[in-house]
Amino acid sequence: MGSESPVLNEQLSLLKSRQKELLERNLIIFRYANGKLFDISGSATPMNTKSVPDKDYNGLLLIGKDGGVKLKKEFIVPPDEIFTLIDGMPMRRAEMKNER
């Protein structure tokens, strides 16, 4: 799926529109295409892509701080679905409790 994919562009737009929530949850967004990982601005990253699962997959992967895949779903995933899932995780609940 190239960077001109309408569903990818819509997914990225939805996520970019929720910057505050992304920052609160320490989310980092990457896009995989043509054997490389790109950050949200479209710049190639020096990260190793050998461990990227399912290189032909066209959807969203939510990878936890522990490195495990927490969500694997085809585009388009509503940001609230992602945030609700994250907010239910033990590490996030502890973060929110400490912020109060």
Side-chain angles (χ1 to χ4, degrees), residues 45-56:
T45 69
M47 296 174 63
N48 181 345
T49 61
K50 290 180 182 173
S51 61
V52 174
D54 301 325
K55 292 182 175 157
D56 293 326

Side-chain angles (χ1 to χ4, degrees), residues 13-37:
S13 178
L14 285 170
L15 293 171
K16 286 179 183 180
S17 73
R18 306 287 293 271
Q19 285 294 319
K20 181 181 177 201
E21 291 97 332
L22 295 174
L23 289 172
E24 287 173 358
R25 292 164 181 85
N26 299 308
L27 283 173
I28 303 171
I29 298 171
F30 293 100
R31 180 180 54 84
Y32 179 81
N34 303 320
K36 295 181 182 178
L37 281 174

Side-chain angles (χ1 to χ4, degrees), residues 24 92 94-100:
E24 287 173 358
R92 175 65 180 149
E95 288 173 359
M96 291 186 304
K97 183 178 180 182
N98 291 334
E99 289 173 359
R100 292 181 195 157

Side-chain angles (χ1 to χ4, degrees), residues 30-74:
F30 293 100
R31 180 180 54 84
Y32 179 81
N34 303 320
K36 295 181 182 178
L37 281 174
F38 298 87
D39 63 21
I40 191 109
S41 69
S43 299
T45 69
M47 296 174 63
N48 181 345
T49 61
K50 290 180 182 173
S51 61
V52 174
D54 301 325
K55 292 182 175 157
D56 293 326
Y57 176 67
N58 294 317
L60 185 134
L61 289 174
L62 177 63
I63 301 172
K65 291 180 179 180
D66 63 359
V69 175
K70 307 303 182 187
L71 177 69
K72 180 178 178 181
K73 194 168 183 180
E74 289 186 20

